[in-house]
Amino acid sequence: MWFSIGDASFELRGGQGFLVCPGASGAPPLFQLGGPLEPFGRLRYIDGCSDTLLVGPSELGQPCLNHLHFPPGTRQTLHTHPTARVGMVASGRGECVLGDGGSALSLVPGAIFEILPGVAHAFRTLDEGPPMTVVAWHPDSDFGPTNDDHPMVNRTIVDGQSASMARRIRTTTADMLPERQLHGASRRSGLKQFR
């Protein structure tokens, strides 16, 4: 089970996982609830691994939550990310090898880990047994909707063309300012772990 909560107050009882508090960039996240995790990822990733976007960025550059699926016998290519990654092992077992043949972090169900920006790492799984699944938080994204590029405006057709091209009828940022002021309260970003 995963969820995303905006400005609502909530109480969390039981379970295990990590809680990410929204940062000061942009509006708070939308309320979303999902689960259970599927037994595979829907998108191709690297080295036989796959990925599902659980909570997508509500706007370009906003955080996202992914489900990574590592089949048995995975030996990932050493790689880095430009920003931190925080993950929790949902099922299966494996390890995260840091650096070029460096130390390895044992990954078991419930393990929570952080990979800092620019740190070379690779995931490995056991040759036998179930796949390893990880829920991973990314503090930013390189895609997502923008005011000028999102499904509603792109797929609204006016006089035979997309409304994204019809500047005379497009909503402006000034038109949206009162709503943004109501919902855009700045908050510090943080990571909280619970058990």
Side-chain angles (χ1 to χ4, degrees), residues 23-83:
S25 59
L30 300 171
F31 179 87
Q32 296 179 52
L33 182 64
L37 293 175
E38 296 178 320
F40 53 84
R42 292 178 177 229
L43 305 170
R44 294 184 300 251
Y45 184 41
I46 63 171
D47 300 316
C49 303
S50 57
D51 171 67
T52 297
L53 187 61
L54 300 176
V55 177
S58 56
E59 294 179 71
L60 175 66
Q62 292 294 309
C64 57
L65 189 68
N66 288 352
H67 162 230
L68 296 163
H69 180 266
F70 301 93
T74 294
R75 301 290 182 269
Q76 253 189 357
T77 302
L78 199 63
H79 62 280
T80 64
H81 301 288
T83 54

Side-chain angles (χ1 to χ4, degrees), residues 75 93-97 104-107 122-126 132:
R75 301 290 182 269
R93 297 177 180 276
E95 63 182 5
C96 180
V97 178
L105 174 65
S106 178
L107 299 176
F123 290 96
R124 295 181 183 163
T125 59
L126 302 173
M132 182 174 69

Side-chain angles (χ1 to χ4, degrees), residues 86-153:
V86 177
M88 185 184 91
V89 180
S91 64
R93 297 177 180 276
E95 63 182 5
C96 180
V97 178
L98 302 175
D100 193 10
S103 61
L105 174 65
S106 178
L107 299 176
V108 298
I112 296 172
F113 60 92
E114 178 179 20
I115 300 171
L116 297 176
V119 172
H121 63 282
F123 290 96
R124 295 181 183 163
T125 59
L126 302 173
D127 290 332
E128 302 290 326
M132 182 174 69
T133 60
V134 171
V135 175
W137 176 75
H138 301 208
D140 59 0
S141 58
D142 63 352
F143 82 102
T146 67
N147 285 316
D148 295 320
D149 184 13
H150 61 86
M152 184 59 85
V153 75

Side-chain angles (χ1 to χ4, degrees), residues 3-28:
F3 57 89
S4 172
I5 299 175
D7 283 335
S9 294
F10 68 96
E11 182 177 324
L12 187 61
R13 296 181 189 186
Q16 181 174 316
F18 60 92
L19 174 66
V20 178
C21 299
S25 59

